[in-house]
Amino acid sequence: MTDLERTVEFVRRKFADFYTAQSEVGPSSIGQREFGFGSWERKIETRHAAFPTKADLRKYLVMNAPFFISHSIAYYEFPTGRPMPRKNWLGGDLVFDLDADECPNHAKGWICDTCFGKTKSEAIKLIEEFLMPDFGFSSNEISVNFSGNRGFHVRVESEKVKQLDREARRDLVDYIGGTGLSIENFFRAKEKSWMENDRVKRQLQNMGPKPTDPGWGGRIARFAIDPANIAHLPKEVQKKKFPLFTQGVKEGNWDKVRIANKETVWGDLGKKVGVHMGDQIDQNVTIDTSKLIRMADSLHGDSGWVAKTFPLSQLQSFDPRKDALAFSSSETVTLNIVEAPKFLSREEEFGPFKAEKRELPLHAAMYLLCKKAALLSD
Amino acid sequence: MVDYNLNLCAKYPFTSEAKAFVSVNKPQISPPLIELGQKRILSALLKGEIPKQAVVLDAKELVYSYAVARMIISQFSRFHINRYAIAEAKRASSLLESSLRESSGLQDSLLVLGGLGIHAKIVSEKPDFIADVPVFEYLRFAPRSVDYKLINQNVSGGFVRSLTWHKVCRIAEEAIKIQIQNSLPLKIPKTDYPQEILKAAKEIDKLLPREESVVITKIPSENFPPCIVKLLQDMHMHENLPHTARWFLATYLLKAGVKPEEIAAIFKDAPDYNEETTRYQIDYLVKKTYSVPNCDSIDSYGLCVAECGTKNPLQFKAAYHGKKVERDRRERDANQKRDQEQGEIQ
Ligand code: SF4
Ligand SMILES: [Zn+2]
């Protein structure tokens, strides 16, 4: 047996132990979900599997201990059917996949407070500024889980969203990401062609969105009057005129300061706000209704962490390096470490390591093994 | 004995009330009734619309003509079924739109909307009618066009706020279309249809234009990027492309030097094709001279199908075929100029 083979075998045994200790795992309506499983090399190697009950799934997991477990966001009449149309799509959850961007602080695939913190604030923004106020979801319709590696899955399971097709989901993603905003739509005079009185018309032309307005109108107005965003505003309002400008916008008057080409200017501003809000969302998970997504509370084969579900209220404080650990500190393992940056596990700091042999507690060892940064030593 | 609102059933024959009426009071399939059903379909397939003609017929006949039309259209392909459904939906939505002028019109209309799964909440009736619609009902049924894009609506608390009656009716139109499309063809074995129905279908079939859609040999399609090729194929398969897709296709083709008449010919394959509207829309695009959106926008419309490594679909040729294509393009431009000078319309 090579070191690699021994390592894979070791990790698999530990994964099996983990699933043996679990009582019940699996998504809602489990019988209507398609499952996919991944190996050491590939995140999804087989798909089109199905399990009538959670007990059946658990049995499979204990026996096979796959490194990755995914299931469809969709519900199907025949989840094992192939090709896809045979499955007969019945509906799907609404799922958002927020993943950390590449981060200058470390090599690809690892996390630090900076990149993970950013992802976290995107998730909070998604929930608190979009899903709840605009779309009207209550906190018990939304669930969050750690993705198992570098981000979060935010999911809405509700009859209201089940039937949304690709096009509708795309429109929703564009809404959240700020794509396709035409700011003119929020200036009222535009539509009121019935108005004959020019004076009234002129006044109304000024009627733009106020910071207190709902939806994107208000969002843009709030962005425009926030001094932190002043660099994104047109030159005309950047200096002395800013107070006058903000005072106007608060009343819905965007013309207190004359701005050349204002429609384009504000339209572009929309884009800026939008991209900033949207670039964290892996949109395809939301749009493509045949996608598979990591199963909540399963182990992630690239980290050895649990794709942990937790209450919304804990999102702010969630830290996978202590909250998503699956393995103990009582057991230790000796590893040949190829290379690893400094990392935290169970509030203990390890590394950086480079070409060295180390004895580590199981939780930290599993992390390095799954990151493919180390092999078992003999 | 249930009391049916027959007038309402006649206007909106797809409602559950109308269906209940027909299933209890089964129509006698008679030659005049068949003829009415045929008229409904022919007008839908040939003109893309169904006349409202409430005055000429009595309510019962109207409901029955719809029931018979459904049996007849069930003999046709998906393309024709879709085209028929679009015309039925248009008819119903224009009736909805004018219903506010009638005394019980609003109540009736809300009933119809509710049956379609649209639960509009009236905010004001005068001077302007304004309603809020639950956001996910809106998302399911709103037309896919810039004016209806969710981001440009006032969204809060789970509702799209302050919609005009016109917009509510357009949303209903989409819902009606989907409902009719999904309910056709009827789940009846072919052998169970009365002979008269099959005969009526054959008669209609004879009246439908045979011409194969114009094959666009003149357009150098090997130079088109994959997204455009895909749209052309979809169009040819009579897929009902969303508004943005059509707009992008037409805008691209215009910029790529395809003549407006040729573009109009391509759009003939759309299931809701209407010659006049199409010509008007293309003329409008010619006047407006929109620029072709960049690839990332195309991607966000859901229309990008490959990674070409270009910033804009128009660059595709240059990126892939290099100078040769550039030369071809110049040649084509020159030809075009010559054509124009000779006053050729093609
Ligand atoms: S990359 Fe651009 S040109 Fe290529 S398919 Fe996508 S949108 Fe079209
Ligand atoms: Zn980082």
Side-chain angles (χ1 to χ4, degrees):
Chain A
M1 244 198 205
T2 64
D3 284 352
L4 176 62
E5 281 164 344
R6 279 198 316 119
T7 300
V8 174
E9 206 29 57
F10 176 80
V11 173
R12 186 183 298 286
R13 223 176 46 242
K14 291 296 171 197
F15 272 39
D17 290 349
F18 172 84
Y19 288 117
T20 311
Q22 301 284 305
S23 55
E24 206 189 68
V25 281
S28 64
S29 308
I30 186 167
Q32 297 181 332
R33 308 278 189 172
E34 176 200 352
F35 280 80
F37 299 104
S39 62
W40 192 251
E41 291 83 20
R42 290 176 56 194
K43 288 201 173 88
I44 294 182
E45 195 160 66
T46 54
R47 53 184 292 186
H48 311 292
F51 300 92
T53 66
K54 290 189 177 178
D56 296 308
L57 172 65
R58 180 172 175 276
K59 228 181 280 165
Y60 179 92
L61 298 183
V62 171
M63 294 269 293
N64 299 281
F67 292 117
F68 298 92
I69 304 160
S70 318
H71 64 77
S72 58
I73 62 166
Y75 306 87
Y76 299 107
E77 187 179 4
F78 309 111
T80 57
R82 299 186 68 175
M84 290 311 267
R86 291 247 176 87
K87 293 192 196 299
N88 194 19
W89 190 83
L90 302 172
D93 300 329
L94 185 60
V95 182
F96 300 91
D97 180 9
L98 297 112
D99 242 334
D101 284 337
E102 293 212 6
C103 173
N105 295 350
H106 44 76
K108 211 174 147 187
W110 304 81
I111 61 166
C112 69
D113 285 336
T114 315
C115 55
F116 195 69
K118 251 196 186 157
T119 313
K120 198 186 280 181
S121 34
E122 291 306 313
I124 293 171
K125 192 189 289 176
L126 169 67
I127 295 168
E128 291 181 358
E129 292 178 30
F130 287 91
L131 296 182
M132 303 223 279
D134 289 9
F135 292 95
F137 289 116
S138 64
S139 53
N140 49 34
E141 288 172 294
I142 304 172
S143 64
V144 204
N145 66 275
F146 174 53
S147 73
N149 196 12
R150 306 182 67 234
F152 296 98
H153 295 160
V154 176
R155 112 186 38 210
V156 179
E157 284 183 40
S158 155
E159 283 304 316
K160 286 181 276 186
V161 302
K162 241 179 132 172
Q163 291 305 318
L164 298 178
D165 63 8
R166 274 185 74 101
E167 293 265 351
R169 285 165 198 254
R170 159 90 52 191
D171 202 3
L172 187 139
V173 163
D174 283 350
Y175 183 93
I176 286 166
T179 310
L181 180 71
S182 9
I183 194 78
E184 313 89 85
N185 284 285
F186 297 94
F187 284 80
R188 269 204 251 142
K190 196 70 185 176
E191 263 179 88
K192 305 268 170 174
S193 50
W194 47 269
M195 279 216 297
E196 294 128 58
N197 186 326
D198 258 4
R199 193 180 51 81
V200 185
K201 197 169 178 178
R202 242 194 331 273
Q203 258 172 23
L204 269 191
Q205 212 114 43
N206 297 335
M207 284 305 291
K210 299 189 196 109
T212 49
D213 278 1
W216 267 95
R219 190 167 282 121
I220 289 291
R222 287 191 298 277
F223 183 90
I225 61 166
D226 184 345
N229 301 324
I230 202 160
H232 296 296
L233 301 184
K235 276 187 243 69
E236 291 95 325
V237 296
Q238 277 193 6
K239 289 184 202 129
K240 273 192 273 166
K241 298 248 174 89
F242 186 66
L244 182 66
F245 169 73
T246 51
Q247 186 207 331
V249 171
K250 280 181 190 155
E251 296 156 3
N253 181 350
W254 290 62
D255 289 334
K256 282 231 158 162
V257 179
R258 272 192 67 89
I259 294 165
N261 298 324
K262 64 176 180 182
E263 285 204 352
T264 351
V265 166
W266 296 129
D268 287 351
L269 177 63
K271 254 178 253 157
K272 257 169 219 148
V273 179
V275 172
H276 168 69
M277 294 201 178
D279 60 358
Q280 297 277 332
I281 300 177
D282 182 354
Q283 306 188 344
N284 251 333
V285 170
T286 313
I287 295 164
D288 185 345
T289 49
S290 61
K291 274 261 177 190
L292 302 184
I293 188 156
R294 188 93 37 246
M295 186 174 89
D297 298 308
S298 67
L299 288 174
H300 193 297
D302 276 346
S303 63
W305 286 341
V306 185
K308 188 105 175 146
T309 313
F310 53 85
L312 284 193
S313 57
Q314 282 168 28
L315 182 51
Q316 187 58 260
S317 64
F318 184 87
D319 184 347
R321 297 164 297 186
K322 57 175 201 285
D323 299 324
L325 298 177
F327 302 105
S328 72
S329 28
S330 51
E331 188 182 340
T332 60
V333 193
T334 309
L335 307 178
N336 286 323
I337 303 170
V338 185
E339 186 172 2
K342 191 158 70 179
F343 68 96
L344 274 173
S345 189
R346 190 150 285 162
E347 292 175 271
E348 203 182 319
E349 209 172 272
F350 300 91
F353 302 117
K354 184 142 197 171
E356 54 197 293
K357 185 167 172 171
R358 286 280 174 159
E359 187 178 352
L360 295 179
L362 184 61
H363 58 89
M366 286 295 278
Y367 184 57
L368 291 189
L369 292 174
C370 288
K371 281 265 167 265
K372 322 240 171 355
L375 289 174
L376 276 193
S377 158
D378 31 31
Chain B
M1 187 69 199
V2 195
D3 246 351
Y4 292 99
N5 183 344
L6 267 186
N7 259 325
L8 200 61
C9 292
K11 282 172 148 185
Y12 312 111
F14 48 84
T15 56
S16 50
E17 188 184 1
K19 273 183 204 139
F21 172 78
V22 173
S23 76
V24 174
N25 308 281
K26 292 229 162 53
Q28 267 299 331
I29 297 196
S30 62
L33 193 53
I34 294 256
E35 201 177 312
L36 287 178
Q38 280 180 315
K39 270 199 186 138
R40 223 175 160 114
I41 293 173
L42 270 174
S43 167
L45 297 187
L46 296 177
K47 293 193 214 118
E49 59 184 31
I50 296 170
K52 290 184 235 165
Q53 57 177 216
V55 230
V56 199
L57 299 168
D58 78 16
K60 211 182 198 173
E61 273 182 312
L62 267 173
V63 183
Y64 285 160
S65 76
Y66 175 77
V68 168
R70 283 165 62 80
M71 292 164 102
I72 302 176
I73 195 70
S74 289
Q75 317 305 320
F76 286 84
S77 69
R78 176 53 59 190
F79 167 66
H80 290 112
I81 288 177
N82 287 353
R83 206 166 145 73
Y84 167 72
I86 289 166
E88 284 286 357
K90 274 202 187 125
R91 169 185 178 272
S93 91
S94 80
L95 285 168
L96 276 175
E97 210 164 336
S98 52
S99 71
L100 294 193
R101 281 187 238 122
E102 296 148 31
S103 58
S104 66
L106 180 58
Q107 266 62 40
D108 288 351
S109 298
L110 290 182
L111 218 68
V112 174
L113 289 174
L116 292 165
I118 300 169
H119 303 92
K121 277 203 323 202
I122 311 301
V123 178
S124 82
E125 288 181 47
K126 283 187 175 107
D128 290 317
F129 180 94
I130 291 173
D132 295 347
V133 170
V135 62
F136 292 105
E137 296 174 2
Y138 181 95
L139 269 176
R140 275 185 74 189
F141 300 126
R144 305 283 164 226
S145 74
V146 186
D147 283 341
Y148 287 83
K149 209 168 163 50
L150 190 65
I151 192 170
N152 295 318
Q153 314 303 317
N154 284 310
V155 183
S156 73
F159 285 87
V160 177
R161 307 285 180 185
S162 314
L163 293 168
T164 59
W165 182 241
H166 172 70
K167 283 195 166 177
V168 174
C169 293
R170 278 293 283 121
I171 295 163
E173 183 177 321
E174 189 68 14
I176 297 165
K177 183 189 90 188
I178 294 172
Q179 192 182 83
I180 297 178
Q181 278 175 349
N182 289 347
S183 68
L184 289 172
L186 298 171
K187 290 191 179 62
I188 304 176
K190 200 143 197 152
T191 46
D192 288 4
Y193 281 101
Q195 277 308 315
E196 298 96 305
I197 295 288
L198 301 179
K199 199 174 132 236
K202 282 214 189 81
E203 284 166 11
I204 290 179
D205 195 46
K206 282 200 200 102
L207 296 175
L208 297 180
R210 277 288 149 252
E211 59 175 304
E212 255 309 292
S213 51
V214 197
V215 187
I216 23 158
T217 42
K218 291 216 163 161
I219 307 173
S221 60
E222 72 280 9
N223 293 340
F224 290 160
C227 47
I228 293 295
V229 172
K230 171 84 172 35
L231 287 178
L232 286 172
Q233 282 166 353
D234 286 353
M235 193 56 106
H236 196 63
M237 297 301 289
H238 305 305
E239 296 275 349
N240 193 15
L241 296 182
H243 175 88
T244 16
R246 295 177 193 210
W247 171 81
F248 166 52
L249 181 60
T251 307
Y252 175 89
L253 292 174
L254 278 174
K255 279 275 146 66
V258 180
K259 291 190 183 129
E261 311 87 76
E262 288 173 319
I263 298 176
I266 294 170
F267 279 78
K268 270 207 177 109
D269 286 331
D272 56 355
Y273 174 74
N274 174 310
E275 197 180 338
E276 219 172 290
T277 325
T278 306
R279 192 167 305 146
Y280 171 79
Q281 282 167 343
I282 294 174
D283 284 350
Y284 181 78
L285 288 184
V286 173
K287 263 189 245 123
K288 276 272 181 178
T289 60
Y290 284 109
S291 51
V292 175
N294 282 339
C295 291
D296 42 0
S297 304
I298 300 300
D299 190 19
S300 87
Y301 302 152
L303 301 174
C304 171
V305 295
E307 281 175 54
C308 305
T310 53
K311 237 189 119 214
N312 189 290
L314 277 177
Q315 293 165 356
F316 174 80
K317 312 175 274 184
Y320 267 68
H321 308 266
K323 292 216 177 76
K324 178 188 173 303
V325 175
E326 186 51 38
R327 200 174 57 225
D328 287 355
R329 195 179 61 79
R330 248 182 284 137
E331 228 166 75
R332 200 172 62 241
D333 287 352
N335 285 343
Q336 232 176 332
K337 206 165 152 222
R338 199 194 52 218
D339 285 353
Q340 271 164 10
E341 279 163 4
Q342 294 174 351
E344 240 179 70
I345 308 163
Q346 183 284 225

